[in-house]
Amino acid sequence: MVIDLLSYSLIPMFSSLALPFFAKKNIRIAIILANVALLSGFINISYLIINSITKPDIIPIIDPLTVFLIFTIYTVALAISFFSTYYGIEKEANPISYYSLILLSVSAMTSLVMVRDLFSLYLFVEILAVCSFALITSDIKSNSIEAAIKYFFLTFPASILIILGISLVLASQKALDFEIISVSTNIMTMIGLSFVIIGFLIKSGVVPFHFWTLDVYQGASSPISAYLAGIITKIGGIYAIIKISIIMKYYPVETISSILLFTSILTILIGAFGAIAQKDMKRMLAYSSISQMGYILAGVSTFSSTGIIAAVFHLFNHATFKTVLFLNSACIEKQTGTTNMTELKGLEKKMPITSWTSIIASMSTAGIPPLSGFWSKILVIIALWQVGYIKSAIIAIIASIITLGYFVLMQRKVFFGKLAEKLTEIKEVESPLLLPVIIMSLMIILAGIYVTYIYSYLEKIM
Amino acid sequence: MQNIYFPLDWFFITLIFFSGAYCMIVSKNIIKLLIGFEIISKASIIAIITSGYLISNINLAQSIIIVMILVEAVVIATGLALVVKSYRINKTIDITKLSNMKG
């Protein structure tokens, strides 16, 4: 563990433990405690990260990857927590357990990005999975329980695969620390790490195992789907693969690289083609999320420094734009009562800010130049080209065009055109609900403009 | 001398793993699926303890499996809670009947 950053994990944990006792009489205390704990952590980590970007000589960075991911986690968690406060989560779930679980999952995620050995990685992934179960099923609807059962019977057998891999690594290396594993290469360790990678691939929902993500994102309550799609499944699945690929830089990785590349291309294509045909907005966003997962995995599959930088940057971008899109769908669901795209039409005149933030986020997803999604996608494609996967790079470019296509289609169905007759009474949501969305859209634009600073920061992670 | 039992141990680990996996594949009852999951997680625990014996560092392996048993208890509790909640809503514990969501 990185001891210097431990408070980012401990403060949410203690807050989540204390919250049920303090908030027994008054729910407002739960809301205030959760938001204040996350806000203070967010301000601290932004101060740290901005200082280390602008003055790299004065403040040395302890562990750039960990700091960057903690920043991402706190950004999304604060947005979700603030959004849920005004969304009226108490109609759908018990607010005390909801905020407590949000804080506990933040603690698990920050611990997960801080760990330095394989078994702790497994342990915090399991804690995160249990937290996400409780979050998915905190909703009263029956759909979410069905989704949770599907998730259960895919994710925990994958954990068993991870443990089998860990036991092979333990037998060959006599220890599980990342430093020890990364220097002494060994064929049995290689097999063990492949088991671990396959387990995390199942957990992160790439294509042969992607069905649970669709059901979970559609079935869960809207802020929870934003939280799951934005950060939990990314940190709990793809981050571990990124970390292991950083460990394996001295290993002969051709076979694993080709397997990961094949999986990622399949994921990109099936996610993109699946998204075109969807009628439900949340299910379409879930397909889009799967497709973006493929881009992150394609960056990892090169095992080069450019690819890993691209993967981390795309993970951050995915966290921002997918959270914005899911929160927009939550706003639409709150105002109109549906996310079915055939019933929605012409919402732009009634909900202009939601419409514009949705345009920014979806253009960033599709990779339109000034926005941040363009830079991470072009980095993924450059990384693929550099190691010689030219056909895959071309497929990634084509899939990016398809992404643009289905987002334009969604925008046209939901926001543009003539207003549907049923929706004449619709108003824009209250301004507190728009605040996290607007701030994250600004982050997308700023990350696109100041991309050189972010790139020079991320170069230090290797 | 320690090495001679390692292949035999892994033979049994594979056997236990696949019997659990078979249980998870063929059964439709969610409780039986959970039992199959328990069996394959026992296989993984034996794998860890075997590796600890091989590297003659049994303390590390034991501390790992104690934490694993804890995790497993939490996971099974979560699974049973899911089954109970699903039974209250759908009045069935047959996993093939759960197909409301399509797209």
Side-chain angles (χ1 to χ4, degrees):
Chain A
M1 301 277 275
V2 186
I3 302 296
D4 308 300
L5 299 170
L6 205 58
S7 58
Y8 292 105
S9 160
L10 289 180
I11 289 171
M13 190 175 83
F14 289 134
S15 311
S16 85
L17 293 178
L19 197 145
F21 298 104
F22 289 147
K24 210 178 268 175
K25 298 268 168 56
N26 193 352
I27 295 168
R28 294 184 80 82
I29 295 173
I31 295 168
I32 291 167
L33 190 59
N35 280 310
V36 168
L38 291 173
L39 183 65
S40 58
F42 174 72
I43 290 170
N44 268 315
I45 197 78
S46 342
Y47 178 76
L48 197 65
I49 206 165
I50 288 169
N51 265 322
S52 55
I53 286 175
T54 50
K55 297 173 246 169
D57 310 326
I58 301 166
I59 299 173
I61 311 160
I62 310 140
D63 186 343
L65 180 60
T66 306
V67 172
F68 190 71
L69 286 172
I70 291 176
F71 173 71
T72 315
I73 292 163
Y74 268 88
T75 313
V76 178
L78 179 64
I80 301 297
S81 157
F82 189 78
F83 188 88
S84 316
T85 309
Y86 291 92
Y87 180 73
I89 199 73
E90 56 268 16
K91 283 181 214 120
E92 295 181 356
N94 179 3
I96 294 172
S97 59
Y98 177 80
Y99 288 108
S100 187
L101 282 166
I102 291 241
L103 286 172
L104 196 59
S105 57
V106 168
S107 167
M109 279 188 285
T110 41
S111 311
L112 179 58
V113 298
M114 282 190 259
V115 295
R116 290 292 171 272
D117 71 289
L118 270 178
F119 184 70
S120 309
L121 191 74
Y122 159 79
L123 184 64
F124 287 114
V125 165
E126 293 292 68
I127 295 173
L128 189 58
V130 171
C131 281
S132 55
F133 273 111
L135 275 175
I136 293 164
T137 54
S138 64
D139 196 354
I140 306 157
K141 284 178 293 181
S142 88
N143 280 345
S144 61
I145 195 96
E146 183 190 325
I149 286 174
K150 283 180 189 167
Y151 184 21
F152 187 92
F153 285 112
L154 264 177
T155 189
F156 288 118
S159 313
I160 302 302
L161 219 56
I162 293 168
I163 278 293
L164 286 176
I166 287 175
S167 75
L168 284 176
V169 174
L170 183 66
S172 57
Q173 298 278 0
K174 299 187 171 35
L176 295 172
D177 299 284
F178 287 159
E179 284 92 18
I180 296 171
I181 297 171
S182 65
V183 285
S184 55
T185 59
N186 184 327
I187 188 69
M188 198 154 152
T189 317
M190 181 86 186
I191 297 170
L193 287 178
S194 318
F195 268 110
V196 176
I197 286 182
I198 291 169
F200 280 116
L201 280 181
I202 298 173
K203 272 179 182 288
S204 54
V206 296
V207 146
F209 315 104
H210 65 291
F211 292 102
W212 65 265
T213 53
L214 304 170
D215 293 349
V216 166
Y217 296 166
Q218 192 190 355
S221 174
S222 292
I224 298 171
S225 357
Y227 193 39
L228 285 166
I231 196 84
I232 285 185
T233 52
K234 304 298 169 288
I235 294 290
I238 210 92
Y239 163 74
I241 298 175
I242 292 175
K243 192 75 207 174
I244 292 167
S245 66
I246 293 173
I247 297 168
M248 290 173 84
K249 59 186 165 189
Y250 299 125
Y251 282 67
V253 288
E254 288 80 20
T255 322
I256 298 182
S257 172
S258 57
I259 292 171
L260 285 182
L261 183 76
F262 179 72
T263 319
S264 67
I265 295 299
L266 208 64
T267 310
I268 290 172
L269 286 178
I270 289 186
F273 282 113
I276 297 174
Q278 297 308 312
K279 290 192 177 66
D280 189 279
M281 189 172 169
K282 278 166 80 177
R283 204 170 175 91
M284 195 215 87
L285 292 177
Y287 266 109
S288 163
S289 179
I290 289 168
S291 173
Q292 302 310 311
M293 184 77 94
Y295 280 95
I296 302 175
L297 198 62
V300 179
S301 75
T302 61
F303 285 90
S304 65
S305 65
T306 318
I308 287 169
I309 290 166
V312 175
F313 190 25
H314 202 67
L315 198 154
F316 168 73
N317 285 338
H318 181 276
T320 49
F321 55 62
K322 201 56 71 178
T323 312
V324 170
L325 286 168
F326 267 105
L327 290 184
N328 279 334
S329 81
C331 288
I332 291 172
E333 192 177 10
K334 184 170 193 284
Q335 296 303 95
T336 64
T338 179
T339 51
N340 193 339
M341 288 198 284
T342 49
E343 294 171 26
L344 299 168
K345 208 167 190 342
L347 281 177
E348 202 211 358
K349 296 174 193 74
K350 298 289 179 183
M351 303 171 84
I353 298 172
T354 308
S355 168
W356 274 101
T357 50
S358 167
I359 288 174
I360 290 170
S362 48
M363 291 303 111
S364 177
T365 318
I368 300 296
L371 303 166
S372 62
F374 169 73
W375 301 106
S376 54
K377 268 192 183 175
I378 201 88
L379 275 175
V380 168
I381 289 161
I382 288 170
L384 285 174
W385 199 283
Q386 273 176 351
V387 290
Y389 298 140
I390 294 172
K391 281 178 203 156
S392 312
I394 292 168
I395 293 174
I397 295 171
I398 294 169
S400 182
I401 297 167
I402 300 172
T403 311
L404 181 64
Y406 65 73
F407 271 117
V408 169
L409 215 64
M410 177 206 87
Q411 202 72 27
R412 196 177 67 92
K413 275 182 192 161
V414 178
F415 292 108
F416 297 155
K418 227 174 106 221
L419 192 67
E421 282 161 19
K422 280 192 295 184
L423 304 173
T424 44
E425 301 295 308
I426 300 298
K427 287 201 288 284
E428 180 69 282
V429 287
E430 304 88 35
S431 45
L433 286 178
L434 292 172
L435 190 67
V437 177
I438 291 171
I439 288 174
M440 292 192 103
S441 307
L442 282 178
M443 273 170 75
I444 292 170
I445 297 170
L446 289 178
I449 294 169
Y450 296 106
V451 67
T452 48
Y453 292 101
I454 296 176
Y455 185 76
S456 59
Y457 178 83
L458 288 177
E459 268 185 327
K460 293 174 195 136
I461 67 176
M462 288 303 290
Chain B
M1 284 306 284
Q2 292 174 346
N3 270 340
I4 52 170
Y5 294 116
F6 190 68
L8 193 65
D9 283 335
W10 272 79
F11 173 71
F12 283 114
I13 290 164
T14 321
L15 207 64
I16 298 170
F17 184 86
F18 279 105
S19 51
Y22 179 74
C23 174
M24 285 189 78
I25 290 165
V26 295
S27 52
K28 290 173 183 168
N29 189 329
I30 301 178
I31 305 281
K32 282 184 186 166
L33 281 170
L34 281 174
I35 293 170
F37 170 70
E38 274 291 281
I39 293 169
I40 62 169
S41 58
K42 290 301 167 296
S44 71
I45 284 180
I46 299 172
I48 290 279
I49 205 82
T50 313
S51 302
Y53 183 65
L54 185 74
I55 61 168
S56 57
N57 190 356
I58 205 82
N59 301 333
L60 176 63
Q62 278 177 345
S63 53
I64 285 177
I65 66 162
I66 286 170
V67 178
M68 268 193 68
I69 289 168
L70 188 105
V71 169
E72 204 175 277
V74 173
V75 166
I76 287 298
T78 317
L80 289 173
L82 283 180
V83 175
V84 170
K85 199 168 178 184
S86 167
Y87 182 71
R88 277 186 196 152
I89 294 170
N90 299 322
K91 300 288 175 220
T92 176
I93 50 170
D94 190 342
I95 197 155
T96 52
K97 300 270 171 63
L98 296 176
S99 53
N100 294 325
M101 300 177 72
K102 292 226 173 63

